[in-house]
Amino acid sequence: MDEKATIPRETISRLVKHYLVDKQLTVTPEVIEGISKYLESFVQEATLRSIENHELNGHNQELVLEYDDLEKIIGLLMLDM
């Protein structure tokens, strides 16, 4: 599983445009690329912290991340980012 999953640039662009207050504002491809890198970093860090938290809580058998695993780390992750 060496392939890195990415969020399509079109999806990021649509999300950014959806939440723009000023609909006349133009978003450059460089901005979309920057947001993509931040999202990639955020998702990677959330995954790693969720795995670590999952293992620290004694769930060493099969690694199955659940919503609770993410919920336990998201507050501190948001502060750190």
Side-chain angles (χ1 to χ4, degrees):
M1 208 163 166
D2 291 308
E3 290 185 34
K4 212 191 260 190
T6 60
I7 300 171
R9 303 295 185 263
E10 300 81 31
T11 302
I12 295 169
S13 181
R14 289 180 65 199
L15 285 169
V16 169
K17 289 176 183 176
H18 177 76
Y19 288 102
L20 285 177
V21 175
D22 182 358
K23 298 299 181 187
Q24 301 299 328
L25 187 65
T26 302
V27 180
T28 66
E30 291 83 15
V31 170
I32 300 302
E33 184 64 30
I35 291 172
S36 174
K37 289 180 182 180
Y38 279 113
L39 284 173
E40 181 182 318
S41 175
F42 182 82
V43 170
Q44 183 179 22
E45 187 65 24
T47 303
L48 293 173
R49 289 185 187 200
S50 293
I51 291 169
E52 181 179 32
N53 186 63
H54 185 83
E55 291 171 346
L56 286 174
N57 287 318
H59 302 101
N60 293 326
Q61 307 89 343
E62 181 180 9
L63 180 59
V64 177
L65 292 179
E66 298 180 358
Y67 181 77
D68 289 345
D69 296 311
L70 178 61
E71 194 174 54
K72 290 174 184 172
I73 60 97
I74 197 68
L76 188 56
L77 176 61
M78 294 299 291
L79 289 173
D80 288 346
M81 298 301 276

